[in-house]
């Protein structure tokens, strides 16, 4: 698996050298500047009696330090590197969240199905977009916007009932945590397939759905 510290390629003309220990602020700015992804700061982790707890205050938070901090998060998201820098300067440890339904949607599957699908896609020589692996043991495959609307029909065409597979699409009104955001003590979000110049142009959901549905069917 690739490290979150690996280089994110900006353009075909230039590559940014690997920078270990890059801050959340620097990473958020790079996502906005180089990938043209909207970003917004989420919750963060705070030490309380030797335990890392979510800034939301919920002791049993399901995604400590890795969810939206306010209900109007959609209006807060920005594609401006300058605005992103300003937001993370106010709270340098805030998680990095990427809204879906704008420059990309995300197909979400369990980790075991995700790795099975990745191997199948490699054999099929499919072109992948970025893929994240989160500590909640789910993988998010970045695809062109519109996947959330098309997914149920695409699954039905393959002979599956949408409700029978643990395969969901995140579109407008949703978001994904981006590397190196941490989920409490459970670890950080990582790139299973990192952003590069080669995958700047995202695949359509139709290109990946067969491999993902097959993997989710095997994983039931």
């Amino acid at each position: 698996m690739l490290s979150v510290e690996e280089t994110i390629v900006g353009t075909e003309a230039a590559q940014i050298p690997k920078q270990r220990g890059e801050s959340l602020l620097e990473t958020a700015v790079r996502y906005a500047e180089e990938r043209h992804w909207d970003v917004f700061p989420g919750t963060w982790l705070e030490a309380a009696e030797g335990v890392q707890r979510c800034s939301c205050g919920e002791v049993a938070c399901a995604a400590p330090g890795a969810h939206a901090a306010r209900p109007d998060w959609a209006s807060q998201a920005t594609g401006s590197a300058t605005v992103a820098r300003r937001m993370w300067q106010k709270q340098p440890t805030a998680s990095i969240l990427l809204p879906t339904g704008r420059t990309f949607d995300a197909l979400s599957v369990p980790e075991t199905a995700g790795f099975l699908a990745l191997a199948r896609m490699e054999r099929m020589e499919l072109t992948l977009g970025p893929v994240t692996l989160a500590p909640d043991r789910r993988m998010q495959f970045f695809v062109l916007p519109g996947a959330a609307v098309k997914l149920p029909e695409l699954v039905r065409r393959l002979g599956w009932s949408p409700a029978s597979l643990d395969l969901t699409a995140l579109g407008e009104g949703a978001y994904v945590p981006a590397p190196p955001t941490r989920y409490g003590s459970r670890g950080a979000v990582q790139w299973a397939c990192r952003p590069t110049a080669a995958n700047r142009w995202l695949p359509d959901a139709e290109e990946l759905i067969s491999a993902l549905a097959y993997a989710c069917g095997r994983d039931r």
Side-chain angles (χ1 to χ4, degrees), residues 16 19 22-34 37 39-41 76-94 96:
I16 295 177
Q19 297 182 31
E22 187 173 67
S23 70
L24 287 159
L25 183 155
E26 292 167 331
T27 306
V29 168
R30 279 153 60 95
Y31 288 152
E33 193 169 61
E34 300 173 10
W37 289 340
V39 298
F40 69 98
Q76 188 186 20
T78 180
S80 165
T82 301
V83 175
R85 183 177 298 280
R86 191 180 307 134
M87 288 195 293
W88 266 272
Q89 283 175 339
K90 293 179 182 177
Q91 182 47 255
T93 58
I96 303 173

Side-chain angles (χ1 to χ4, degrees), residues 24 42-48 51-56 61 63-67 91-95 180-188:
L24 287 159
T43 53
W44 56 92
L45 296 172
E46 297 175 331
V51 179
Q52 292 286 322
R53 293 210 170 118
C54 186
S55 62
C56 73
C61 180
H67 64 87
Q91 182 47 255
T93 58
S95 53
T181 293
R182 297 192 65 81
Y183 274 60
S185 60
R186 294 156 67 185

